[in-house]
Amino acid sequence: MRLNKLIYLVATIAASASLADPLAEMSGSWHGSGWARETQKAPKETVRCKITNTYNDGAQILTLEGRCIVPGRRLKISGIISAAEGSDRITGRWSNPTGLVSAPIVGIKRNGIVAFNFSATNPITGRKQSQNVEWRISNDSLRLRSSNRVDPTIMMSDISFGR
């Protein structure tokens, strides 16, 4: 009988861990490094970032603010992600790393992943940027990856963060 209770307890803990809200888990201060590129044909540039994520549990909103450094430039990164009550659906706004455009986002959150897409036009160059963005949280690590929305095989960034 005790073995059955132990199995039930372990299964309950595992199920509740998988149901954890990735937006809430992303809360806190993070620092990371990796690479990013501005256009699909541009070379990969080394990037280092510091971000602070704040989660409002009652409103189910994650606010992200931070800075990234690439050789010779400092870039602002920001966003607001809202979860729909009782759903995996998310909406919000995302400021691309150049900081020139804030674009609406639509996506999902589940099983340690927050994924969304956005499209924006750079007001200076007139170049359209459309990306798929994925934040993956696991223990004390957070990974940001993005790909070109038209051709998802073209990776645009890969940055790993720690607390």
Side-chain angles (χ1 to χ4, degrees):
M1 188 65 147
R2 284 187 167 199
L3 182 58
N4 288 342
K5 286 183 181 180
L6 180 61
I7 291 170
Y8 174 77
L9 178 62
V10 169
T12 302
I13 291 169
S16 65
S18 69
L19 295 176
D21 184 353
L23 292 179
E25 292 179 47
M26 289 171 62
S27 186
S29 295
W30 300 87
H31 54 89
S33 62
W35 64 268
R37 63 173 128 206
E38 201 167 330
T39 67
Q40 64 186 12
K41 293 181 181 177
K44 295 177 182 178
E45 295 182 279
T46 301
V47 62
R48 291 178 309 159
C49 300
K50 282 187 177 184
I51 59 172
T52 301
N53 296 335
T54 306
Y55 184 68
N56 180 324
D57 190 39
Q60 295 186 17
I61 295 175
L62 179 77
T63 304
L64 178 142
E65 292 286 336
R67 298 249 182 242
C68 294
I69 298 172
V70 296
R73 295 180 291 164
R74 290 180 184 261
L75 310 170
K76 180 180 176 185
I77 185 171
S78 65
I80 296 174
I81 302 173
S82 299
E85 183 68 37
S87 168
D88 288 345
R89 183 176 160 79
I90 60 167
T91 58
R93 296 206 64 81
W94 178 254
S95 176
N96 66 337
T98 60
L100 299 172
V101 178
S102 176
I105 63 168
V106 175
I108 60 166
K109 65 175 180 75
R110 70 170 72 117
N111 300 330
I113 297 173
V114 174
F116 59 87
N117 55 53
F118 76 90
S119 293
T121 302
N122 183 317
I124 295 171
T125 65
R127 187 177 9 198
K128 186 170 184 170
Q129 184 178 39
S130 295
Q131 291 186 11
N132 301 312
V133 177
E134 176 187 282
W135 289 90
R136 183 178 297 263
I137 181 120
S138 176
N139 299 321
D140 280 340
S141 66
L142 180 62
R143 186 173 183 191
L144 166 65
R145 293 178 48 164
S146 66
S147 64
N148 181 288
R149 196 162 166 206
V150 175
D151 183 353
T153 64
I154 300 172
M155 296 303 298
M156 299 300 291
S157 67
D158 191 351
I159 305 168
S160 295
F161 294 85
R163 291 193 192 268

